[in-house]
Amino acid sequence: TMAREKTGDDIIATSRRFFNNVVCPLLQTHFPAESQQMACGLFGYGSECLRMDDELSRDHHWGLRIDALLPDALFHERAASIRDTISAELPDQFEGVELRQGHVEGAGLAPESLEGFLRRTLGIERAPQSHAEWLDLPEVDIVHVINGEVWHDPSGRLSEIRNTLLAYYPDPVWHRRISHWCRYYSGMGLYALSRALQRNNMAYAYTAFARSIKWALELGFLLNRRYFPYDKWL
């Protein structure tokens, strides 16, 4: 089937066409004011957002979806109405791909609070403004904010945050994180591996070896000024 042949890149492109041709006109018809405060795209959680989905990963949360972020107050006031009204007019599939519910409620269109999404990922409701805030951001969750694509963002609020994050860490923060990862890699990785081998503690040696590989890969991302994803996608 067509759905089995779709790659991560294809599902993003297909979802974009689905938004432009089907969902966006419905939003403009039924919710013109609300859509001006809405940021729509395909981003957040899921291997398809990183264009890394495969046959196995398509058994859950995979399919056409439009992530739609609304200001928190508007989300609580109007999200259910938006979701129900739009869903009632959506087809069961588009270009041979079924609509399936993703990581938040809603098949085809998945409204979510912008502030809630940012708290769940970055831990703050805006872009970082100080070196301390940058250091506090969980790097693997920054990826959930900057991945995929945003196709509609009239207010520019989400796009501004994404652009700040995409510009990468300020240099002092970048240098600090590199030093941290060098310390993890050398002290808790290779040194621990060496000591475990000297003691013939193979269970811990294997553990230290695996951690060393992980930290080395993450250090490579840091040196190339790229955010690294969490383990299963690393």
Side-chain angles (χ1 to χ4, degrees), residues 86-202:
I86 300 301
S87 296
E89 298 193 35
L90 294 179
D92 293 331
Q93 59 177 247
F94 177 80
E95 295 185 6
V97 184
E98 293 181 359
L99 276 63
R100 291 172 59 179
Q101 188 162 301
H103 64 282
V104 293
E105 186 176 356
L109 181 69
E112 185 176 3
S113 161
L114 171 62
E115 289 84 354
F117 173 73
L118 294 173
R119 286 193 303 268
R120 188 152 52 89
T121 51
L122 303 181
I124 55 177
E125 298 178 3
R126 51 173 172 73
Q129 296 176 349
S130 67
H131 291 167
E133 287 186 342
W134 273 104
L135 282 169
D136 281 343
L137 296 183
E139 180 155 353
V140 295
D141 285 328
I142 292 176
V143 173
H144 294 133
V145 180
I146 64 169
N147 64 15
E149 295 179 358
V150 174
W151 315 308
H152 172 86
D153 185 16
S155 74
R157 187 175 171 191
L158 176 63
S159 297
E160 182 179 358
I161 294 170
R162 279 170 60 100
N163 289 337
T164 297
L165 295 172
L166 284 166
Y168 204 65
Y169 294 116
D171 279 355
V173 176
W174 181 45
H175 297 157
R176 178 69 174 266
R177 290 184 65 82
I178 289 173
S179 69
H180 284 170
W181 257 253
C182 287
R183 182 69 182 93
Y184 300 151
Y185 180 48
S186 62
M188 292 181 282
L190 296 181
Y191 176 79
L193 171 61
S194 173
R195 301 292 283 184
L197 290 173
Q198 291 176 49
R199 293 187 169 95
N200 198 33
N201 183 347
M202 297 309 297

